[in-house]
Amino acid sequence: MSSSSSRSAATRAGDQAWTKMSKMNAELFNLTYGAMVMQLIRDYEDVQDVNQQLETMGYSIGQKLVDEFLAKSGVGNCANFREVAETLAKVGFKMFLGVVVEVTAWNAEGTAFSLQVYDNPLADFVELPPQYSGLVYSNILCGVIRGALEMIKYQVECRFVKDGLKGDEVNEIRVELRQMVDESFGEEYNEGA
Amino acid sequence: MIYNLYIFDRRGACLFYREWCRPLNTLAEDPEEEKKLMFGMLYSIKGLVAALGSKNAPSSSDGLNHLRTNAYTLHHFETLTGLRFVLNTDNSIVDMRGHLRHIYSGIWVQHVVQNPQYKIGEGGSAGRLPPAFAQSLEQYVTNLPGFK
């Protein structure tokens, strides 16, 4: 079936891209991220503000990450949103975090899906104390997905629906397509400018 | 012989322009106008190509590849993020898309995208690109076989 062959092609592409990436120490990455979240909590105090700030930071990262992704993975155009989801899960997450992610729970129109992240390297060694139960620790990932997809003209909303730090067995990110981004031009192209 | 290189973002802003050899420039007094005309032309052609193009799933080689006149050849490479690399050469050079792809993945991504001080959309009149990009590009292009 074409969908299963595209899934295994994506997995192969992801593994190949992963071998070509330069690697860094996982503990260093994890602890640096943790220190950053701690600093944000000290700066913003309100947990919802921290969540928002993490998402915003992720958005800026995602906008740049997608160019590196396209350049290093060499994947071509995706024909539809389903292929985008598979590529994101199998190639994107594999390349940058080295983890396996599954795409599940498509809605009827094919405009929303869930990413099951079994292994979240950001949250290794992390425990969430009860006073921070509203904190979405890995919210930066939602921002990265949103920023990256927006650069390839998909405007989406992402949020965590299941979080390993809050007792669920897996992490699950829900990605919902809002609209396709229209090409609009800079002001110099307006009439009379 | 390589004449010049333009890099446009998806909104039409010219992020980078470099000229190596330009025997005739009729728009020398207004370089901004020239860049707008270049982008406008490419945008229109893209619309035409899409309208006339095949019904198969689009691949990365779909879209405008080359534009050839009796005086020069224009090589065009557009990334999925809407970044366009446009290189004008003389007619002795047949295909520069592989090189444009390398300029994107090896030089642009490495020196511009991965530079923490660069914000998406900067360059051209809006701001300066990291100098390492211009240097790497210069080194790469001047060492290309067709450069002269």
Side-chain angles (χ1 to χ4, degrees), chain B residues 45-55:
Chain B
I45 293 180
K46 177 178 172 175
L48 251 179
V49 164
L52 296 171
S54 73
K55 289 207 177 60

PDB file of all heavy atoms in Angstrom, chain B residues 45-55:
ATOM      1  N   ILE B  45       5.929  33.525 -13.690  1.00  0.00           N
ATOM      2  CA  ILE B  45       6.270  32.282 -14.385  1.00  0.00           C
ATOM      3  C   ILE B  45       5.877  31.073 -13.543  1.00  0.00           C
ATOM      4  O   ILE B  45       5.395  30.070 -14.058  1.00  0.00           O
ATOM      5  CB  ILE B  45       7.759  32.244 -14.745  1.00  0.00           C
ATOM      6  CG1 ILE B  45       8.056  33.318 -15.784  1.00  0.00           C
ATOM      7  CG2 ILE B  45       8.145  30.879 -15.290  1.00  0.00           C
ATOM      8  CD1 ILE B  45       9.498  33.372 -16.201  1.00  0.00           C
ATOM      9  N   LYS B  46       6.067  31.200 -12.248  1.00  0.00           N
ATOM     10  CA  LYS B  46       5.698  30.079 -11.369  1.00  0.00           C
ATOM     11  C   LYS B  46       4.204  29.801 -11.496  1.00  0.00           C
ATOM     12  O   LYS B  46       3.784  28.635 -11.541  1.00  0.00           O
ATOM     13  CB  LYS B  46       6.049  30.416  -9.928  1.00  0.00           C
ATOM     14  CG  LYS B  46       5.638  29.329  -8.958  1.00  0.00           C
ATOM     15  CD  LYS B  46       6.061  29.683  -7.542  1.00  0.00           C
ATOM     16  CE  LYS B  46       5.468  28.681  -6.561  1.00  0.00           C
ATOM     17  NZ  LYS B  46       5.938  28.925  -5.208  1.00  0.00           N
ATOM     18  N   GLY B  47       3.401  30.849 -11.556  1.00  0.00           N
ATOM     19  CA  GLY B  47       1.962  30.672 -11.705  1.00  0.00           C
ATOM     20  C   GLY B  47       1.627  29.969 -13.018  1.00  0.00           C
ATOM     21  O   GLY B  47       0.807  29.049 -13.075  1.00  0.00           O
ATOM     22  N   LEU B  48       2.301  30.386 -14.083  1.00  0.00           N
ATOM     23  CA  LEU B  48       2.114  29.776 -15.406  1.00  0.00           C
ATOM     24  C   LEU B  48       2.483  28.300 -15.386  1.00  0.00           C
ATOM     25  O   LEU B  48       1.757  27.452 -15.895  1.00  0.00           O
ATOM     26  CB  LEU B  48       3.055  30.458 -16.400  1.00  0.00           C
ATOM     27  CG  LEU B  48       2.456  31.371 -17.456  1.00  0.00           C
ATOM     28  CD1 LEU B  48       3.589  31.942 -18.282  1.00  0.00           C
ATOM     29  CD2 LEU B  48       1.505  30.602 -18.340  1.00  0.00           C
ATOM     30  N   VAL B  49       3.640  28.018 -14.806  1.00  0.00           N
ATOM     31  CA  VAL B  49       4.143  26.644 -14.762  1.00  0.00           C
ATOM     32  C   VAL B  49       3.174  25.763 -14.004  1.00  0.00           C
ATOM     33  O   VAL B  49       2.867  24.642 -14.410  1.00  0.00           O
ATOM     34  CB  VAL B  49       5.546  26.617 -14.112  1.00  0.00           C
ATOM     35  CG1 VAL B  49       5.933  25.216 -13.705  1.00  0.00           C
ATOM     36  CG2 VAL B  49       6.569  27.187 -15.053  1.00  0.00           C
ATOM     37  N   ALA B  50       2.645  26.278 -12.899  1.00  0.00           N
ATOM     38  CA  ALA B  50       1.710  25.486 -12.104  1.00  0.00           C
ATOM     39  C   ALA B  50       0.434  25.227 -12.883  1.00  0.00           C
ATOM     40  O   ALA B  50      -0.129  24.139 -12.832  1.00  0.00           O
ATOM     41  CB  ALA B  50       1.403  26.205 -10.795  1.00  0.00           C
ATOM     42  N   ALA B  51      -0.004  26.242 -13.639  1.00  0.00           N
ATOM     43  CA  ALA B  51      -1.237  26.072 -14.404  1.00  0.00           C
ATOM     44  C   ALA B  51      -1.060  25.093 -15.551  1.00  0.00           C
ATOM     45  O   ALA B  51      -1.964  24.328 -15.882  1.00  0.00           O
ATOM     46  CB  ALA B  51      -1.691  27.435 -14.948  1.00  0.00           C
ATOM     47  N   LEU B  52       0.119  25.100 -16.161  1.00  0.00           N
ATOM     48  CA  LEU B  52       0.342  24.229 -17.314  1.00  0.00           C
ATOM     49  C   LEU B  52       0.953  22.901 -16.931  1.00  0.00           C
ATOM     50  O   LEU B  52       1.123  22.028 -17.753  1.00  0.00           O
ATOM     51  CB  LEU B  52       1.299  24.900 -18.309  1.00  0.00           C
ATOM     52  CG  LEU B  52       0.808  26.191 -18.955  1.00  0.00           C
ATOM     53  CD1 LEU B  52       1.953  26.822 -19.726  1.00  0.00           C
ATOM     54  CD2 LEU B  52      -0.341  25.893 -19.890  1.00  0.00           C
ATOM     55  N   GLY B  53       1.324  22.758 -15.671  1.00  0.00           N
ATOM     56  CA  GLY B  53       2.164  21.640 -15.278  1.00  0.00           C
ATOM     57  C   GLY B  53       1.421  20.329 -15.157  1.00  0.00           C
ATOM     58  O   GLY B  53       0.227  20.221 -15.398  1.00  0.00           O
ATOM     59  N   SER B  54       2.149  19.285 -14.759  1.00  0.00           N
ATOM     60  CA  SER B  54       1.587  17.944 -14.732  1.00  0.00           C
ATOM     61  C   SER B  54       0.707  17.762 -13.509  1.00  0.00           C
ATOM     62  O   SER B  54       0.795  18.500 -12.539  1.00  0.00           O
ATOM     63  CB  SER B  54       2.721  16.921 -14.699  1.00  0.00           C
ATOM     64  OG  SER B  54       3.303  16.942 -13.429  1.00  0.00           O
ATOM     65  N   LYS B  55      -0.132  16.718 -13.585  1.00  0.00           N
ATOM     66  CA  LYS B  55      -1.046  16.466 -12.471  1.00  0.00           C
ATOM     67  C   LYS B  55      -0.436  15.530 -11.435  1.00  0.00           C
ATOM     68  O   LYS B  55      -1.056  15.213 -10.444  1.00  0.00           O
ATOM     69  CB  LYS B  55      -2.333  15.832 -13.003  1.00  0.00           C
ATOM     70  CG  LYS B  55      -3.193  16.789 -13.799  1.00  0.00           C
ATOM     71  CD  LYS B  55      -4.652  16.378 -13.734  1.00  0.00           C
ATOM     72  CE  LYS B  55      -5.531  17.360 -14.468  1.00  0.00           C
ATOM     73  NZ  LYS B  55      -5.177  17.470 -15.902  1.00  0.00           N
TER      74      LYS B  55
END
